[in-house]
Amino acid sequence: MDIRERINKLRDEINKHNYQYYVLDAPLIPDVEYDHLLRDLQALESKHPELITADSPTQRVGAEPLAAFGTIRHELPMLSLGNAFSEDDIIAFHRRVTERLNATEVPYVAEPKLDGLAVSLRYENGILVSGATRGDGNSGEDITRNVRTIPSIPLRLLGTGTPSVLEVRGEVYMSRSGFAALNQRQRKQGEKTFVNPRNAAAGSLRQLDPKVTAQRPLAIFCYGVGVVQDYLMPQRHSEMLMRLKNWGLRVSEEYRVVNNISECIKYYNEIEAKRDILDYDIDGVVYKVDLFQQQDALGFVSRAPRWAIAYKFPAQEALTTLQAIDIQVGRTGALTPVARLKPVFVGGATITNATLHNEDEIQRKDIRVGDTVVIRRAGDVIPEVVSALRERRPADAVPFEMVTACPDCGSDVIRNKGESVVRCTGGLYCPAQRKEAIKHFASRKALDIEGLGDKLVDQLVEHQLVSNVADLYSLNRDQLMELERMGEKSADNLVKAINDSKSTTLARFLYALGIREVGEATALSLARNFGQLSTLMEASEEALLSVPDVGPVVAANIRAFFRQDHNREVIERLENEGVHWQDLTEFSQQNLPLKGKTFVITGKLDAMTRDEAKACLQALGAKVSGSVSSKTDGLVAGHDPGSKYTRATSLGVEIIDEKNLLTILNKE
Ligand code: IVH
């Protein structure tokens, strides 16, 4: 076989695999093998540059950047579509079509309306010679070098018997996954990100440097033809789509022949339901009269064919004015900025509020009150403010500033290092956090009020019987019996359980307060270190930081919590109601029983994890070290101890088994 033949064979082979991969979505060989073929071809071509042709699969990228795009005249104009927004509009369209054709039944092809950019590709004798944007419909920009970089656009049509001239019309788009990946890459490289896949596709296709386009994840779906020469056309649009596909052009799998209005509507509903799972954006469906003969009989009115119509989905994005930014307090105290909007119809509903996520997002997007903003409402998700139009910003637009006090209860707000959320610190008092605070307070590891479950808490709050945890202690059986499904006996039991919970431990009580990031272990540590609630409430940051398990964030949360007068009032009321615990002052601060002792833990414990054992020992003042030395006071040894055990015995360090450990810890 001579070189020319080998090269041609390789090209055919590669083109076939491109088709399998990009058009049929059914690759026959693994990527590495494909790369191998491409490399073989590159090697042959570099030895014989005279044999390189423009349609070779090696020639997609490489063109030099342009100073400006040239213009290409469309031999047949690229038309636009009339729009329908309701079933009535579709019924009216069908009536116009049937009346003009004087026919009762008209088959249509229904297709998704792709949200990208229309392009026209020209093939001469099966070779891609040019690509153009729609432009004004008569002429567009010459983007040949760019379309050549799009892998799903064949440089040469498959098979023989292709028209001598074929203009293919289609939509270039960017997949959603490709868009997400591109934006992530842009962000990483400190470059600008794109608002949506359509803008990204437009920006990528209209690059003067085709090497940039080549790096963008673009693809095409073909949906029609323009000029076709020296070719016997099929009778139907649906057949034409099939031919395009056989020539190696990518056609959406979603098209369908429909025969009447109800099938049209059914198709619309099915595609709309699928919309969120498709990997590309669509903004409606298109109906086209299937028979070319009927299309020709119908003709055009001002740039739009009478034989086709777009039935648009409700717009997912709209413009409106941002009238104010309010702060909403969530049930766990998180403050979320919410946009108050001039009412706008988007995604099939009137929207007056949208989320702005958090303070950082507002700064990053530079959104100000008074701005014209882009609102997006997609599917079931909460509407969001996407961006602000800087060019429409009024001079008096107000930049956003986060509140310093909770709008619901007036408590201070806190934003921990490394977090984007701002939170209210009035956990015990804040109306927004009421239900959660009471549920937590009553939970098993907190004051363990048996029978006070989530549903009951909801009812107590909704009936305004309880507005904070201290109110629980003045509930009586008559009040409780007003509630749903609450009999005399359960009411009595609950009053008793509430009463019983008054006798608790300081650790449980601290945990029950629901201070952010103060879990059980930290509460225990705090109780053991401070001994008294009043000392803890006044503790300095330094004193808090000296407690094992307490870092700067937890220390800040604790101080912020106890600084709030409202929280202090609730705590005082709880104590007045009789909530009490054993005074641990004897153990506190200087008096910790294990102060000055160093322990090492090894092996597996049954009753607790090693971390829990460590926290408990530390709470009693001990140091817990990772390795045994002559200074070690005791080795806590569970099952299957390791080399630490041998070392400890050889150094004569006391060995403490789990039983002994529990005795030490229970000395409380
Ligand atoms: S047919 C005469 N089919 O919608 C037919 N267009 O509003 C004209 N579009 O410029 C186009 N998906 O960019 C057709 N399946 C589809 C389409 C589609 C998206 C775009 C195309 C066109 C615009 C017209």
Side-chain angles (χ1 to χ4, degrees):
M1 205 187 314
D2 78 356
I3 298 292
R4 194 183 301 264
E5 275 176 65
R6 271 178 65 197
I7 285 184
N8 280 337
K9 217 172 146 246
L10 265 173
R11 286 179 187 163
D12 286 350
E13 176 98 11
I14 292 168
N15 285 337
K16 181 182 85 186
H17 289 304
N18 274 344
Y19 177 64
Q20 287 288 338
Y21 186 91
Y22 291 109
V23 179
L24 301 184
D25 202 8
L28 295 176
I29 53 168
D31 290 2
V32 277
E33 247 173 80
Y34 175 87
D35 293 343
H36 214 92
L37 292 172
L38 203 61
R39 265 203 308 274
D40 285 352
L41 178 60
Q42 266 160 349
L44 283 176
E45 286 182 345
S46 69
K47 269 197 225 147
H48 303 276
E50 73 284 359
L51 298 181
I52 299 178
T53 54
D55 65 324
S56 169
T58 59
Q59 301 302 300
R60 286 197 177 267
V61 205
E64 289 306 310
L66 288 172
F69 291 117
T71 307
I72 288 186
R73 256 198 94 73
H74 306 301
E75 235 181 279
L76 276 181
M78 288 181 78
L79 302 170
S80 57
L81 290 168
N83 287 324
F85 296 99
S86 65
E87 281 183 31
D88 284 350
D89 292 348
I90 293 302
I91 293 166
F93 165 75
H94 181 59
R95 191 180 320 118
R96 290 195 299 273
V97 167
T98 45
E99 277 174 10
R100 268 194 179 259
L101 291 175
N102 206 3
T104 44
E105 300 226 321
V106 179
Y108 297 99
V109 173
E111 303 170 4
K113 186 167 193 301
L114 307 148
D115 200 7
L117 289 100
V119 297
S120 182
L121 307 172
R122 188 177 167 99
Y123 288 87
E124 291 179 3
N125 301 315
I127 308 289
L128 176 67
V129 295
S130 65
T133 60
R134 178 173 179 278
D136 63 4
N138 292 319
S139 54
E141 281 171 327
D142 180 349
I143 49 160
T144 310
R145 292 153 176 251
N146 293 349
V147 295
R148 288 176 59 89
T149 69
I150 300 175
S152 52
I153 294 182
L155 299 180
R156 183 206 290 183
L157 298 179
L158 291 181
T160 48
T162 49
S164 62
V165 175
L166 172 70
E167 261 178 28
V168 182
R169 267 86 197 257
E171 198 87 348
V172 167
Y173 71 94
M174 191 177 286
S175 68
R176 289 186 184 157
S177 45
F179 166 75
L182 171 64
N183 261 359
Q184 202 175 13
R185 199 168 77 206
Q186 295 283 104
R187 220 171 281 130
K188 229 186 236 159
Q189 295 171 352
E191 308 227 3
K192 93 171 185 64
T193 53
F194 297 94
V195 180
N196 56 37
R198 205 198 104 84
N199 284 6
S204 303
L205 199 57
R206 298 193 61 260
Q207 280 288 337
L208 289 167
D209 183 354
K211 291 198 181 65
V212 176
T213 311
Q215 287 161 15
R216 302 286 173 79
L218 296 174
I220 193 167
F221 276 126
C222 300
Y223 52 64
V225 293
V227 175
V228 182
Q229 274 174 20
D230 302 318
Y231 187 74
L232 184 63
M233 285 284 279
Q235 300 202 336
R236 292 170 181 266
H237 173 67
S238 51
E239 287 172 51
M240 191 70 214
L241 290 178
M242 251 146 40
R243 289 196 196 184
L244 293 180
K245 187 172 167 182
N246 289 335
W247 289 332
L249 293 155
R250 194 155 169 267
V251 174
S252 166
E253 292 285 311
E254 305 289 339
Y255 79 87
R256 192 192 304 163
V257 177
V258 288
N259 291 300
N260 52 52
I261 287 287
S262 70
E263 283 180 18
C264 285
I265 305 299
K266 188 160 166 259
Y267 178 84
Y268 174 91
N269 290 331
E270 283 173 13
I271 293 287
E272 191 179 28
K274 254 197 198 172
R275 193 178 182 186
D276 288 344
I277 55 167
L278 294 176
D279 195 26
Y280 45 90
D281 283 354
I282 55 176
D283 57 354
V285 301
V286 184
Y287 304 110
K288 298 172 183 171
V289 169
D290 195 16
L291 283 162
F292 285 131
Q293 203 187 21
Q294 290 187 330
Q295 287 190 3
D296 293 342
L298 287 160
F300 308 87
V301 252
S302 69
R303 315 250 104 225
R306 283 204 194 86
W307 45 265
I309 194 160
Y311 186 4
K312 301 284 279 279
F313 294 138
Q316 291 189 309
E317 287 190 359
L319 292 180
T320 189
T321 315
L322 176 61
Q323 293 176 324
I325 297 178
D326 286 353
I327 301 295
Q328 223 163 48
V329 190
R331 58 192 180 88
T332 58
L335 269 55
T336 310
V338 175
R340 302 291 176 218
L341 307 164
K342 184 159 172 256
V344 60
F345 192 74
V346 50
T350 301
I351 301 299
T352 49
N353 304 319
T355 178
L356 285 157
H357 301 291
N358 58 52
E359 195 180 0
D360 290 352
E361 280 285 297
I362 301 178
Q363 306 303 356
R364 193 174 65 72
K365 295 176 179 168
D366 187 18
I367 292 170
R368 305 186 184 183
V369 173
D371 272 342
T372 299
V373 287
V374 178
I375 304 302
R376 186 173 168 82
R377 177 176 185 268
D380 293 337
V381 303
I382 302 168
E384 62 163 352
V385 178
V386 178
S387 58
L389 300 189
R390 299 286 288 276
E391 59 281 10
R392 292 214 209 158
R393 172 166 291 164
D396 58 354
V398 190
F400 174 71
E401 259 182 71
M402 195 55 174
V403 293
T404 52
C406 170
D408 281 19
C409 74
S411 302
D412 295 337
V413 301
I414 188 171
R415 178 173 169 178
N416 289 145
K417 242 199 167 128
E419 281 188 19
S420 53
V421 218
V422 172
R423 290 176 193 279
C424 163
T425 56
L428 281 189
Y429 170 79
C430 182
Q433 301 174 62
R434 233 165 238 176
K435 286 181 178 173
E436 292 311 302
I438 299 170
K439 287 172 191 173
H440 175 74
F441 187 83
S443 67
R444 204 170 48 80
K445 291 175 179 168
L447 287 217
D448 192 17
I449 307 180
E450 218 188 306
L452 186 51
D454 291 1
K455 292 222 174 78
L456 202 51
V457 172
D458 291 345
Q459 280 197 67
L460 288 171
V461 172
E462 281 152 22
H463 284 74
Q464 294 176 353
L465 291 173
V466 172
S467 62
N468 64 56
V469 293
D471 293 340
L472 290 171
Y473 293 93
S474 36
L475 282 172
N476 59 43
R477 75 193 289 237
D478 291 343
Q479 287 173 314
L480 289 175
M481 281 175 61
E482 283 173 25
L483 304 176
E484 270 169 48
R485 267 174 281 149
M486 180 65 76
E488 217 168 295
K489 184 130 198 308
S490 349
D492 283 341
N493 285 344
L494 186 56
V495 172
K496 180 167 183 302
I498 292 173
N499 207 36
D500 288 350
S501 74
K502 286 180 184 168
S503 172
T504 185
T505 65
L506 178 55
R508 277 180 179 271
F509 185 77
L510 289 177
Y511 173 69
L513 296 178
I515 305 169
R516 203 157 171 82
E517 286 179 54
V518 175
E520 277 174 276
T522 312
L524 189 67
S525 233
L526 290 167
R528 293 223 164 109
N529 273 270
F530 289 95
Q532 278 187 325
L533 180 60
S534 53
T535 334
L536 171 61
M537 284 171 72
E538 306 308 328
S540 65
E541 184 180 359
E542 208 185 356
L544 286 167
L545 286 176
S546 73
V547 176
D549 218 27
V550 174
V553 168
V554 177
N557 286 342
I558 295 170
R559 278 169 56 80
F561 183 91
F562 288 122
R563 251 198 320 264
Q564 309 311 310
D565 288 340
H566 290 310
N567 289 340
R568 298 176 82 104
E569 279 160 26
V570 174
I571 292 170
E572 196 180 319
R573 274 192 54 207
L574 284 167
E575 290 192 281
N576 290 341
E577 293 286 356
V579 176
H580 66 280
W581 49 86
Q582 197 194 336
D583 194 342
L584 296 174
T585 322
E586 66 200 83
F587 288 151
S588 74
Q589 293 165 19
Q590 312 311 322
N591 299 325
L592 290 166
L594 299 180
K595 197 171 166 63
K597 304 238 176 207
T598 304
F599 292 89
V600 175
I601 310 176
T602 185
K604 192 180 167 316
L605 300 170
D606 291 327
M608 58 184 96
T609 65
R610 280 206 294 267
D611 277 345
E612 282 166 345
K614 181 174 169 184
C616 291
L617 287 167
Q618 286 174 334
L620 294 177
K623 260 210 203 127
V624 176
S625 152
S627 58
V628 178
S629 76
S630 57
K631 296 206 183 85
T632 310
D633 293 291
L635 177 78
V636 175
H639 309 291
D640 309 323
S643 59
K644 287 176 190 164
Y645 186 86
T646 340
R647 186 163 162 74
T649 30
S650 72
L651 287 173
V653 171
E654 186 190 349
I655 305 291
I656 302 164
D657 65 11
E658 185 161 0
K659 215 169 123 211
N660 288 337
L661 173 69
L662 293 174
T663 327
I664 296 171
L665 297 180
N666 283 336
K667 266 191 179 160
E668 179 188 356

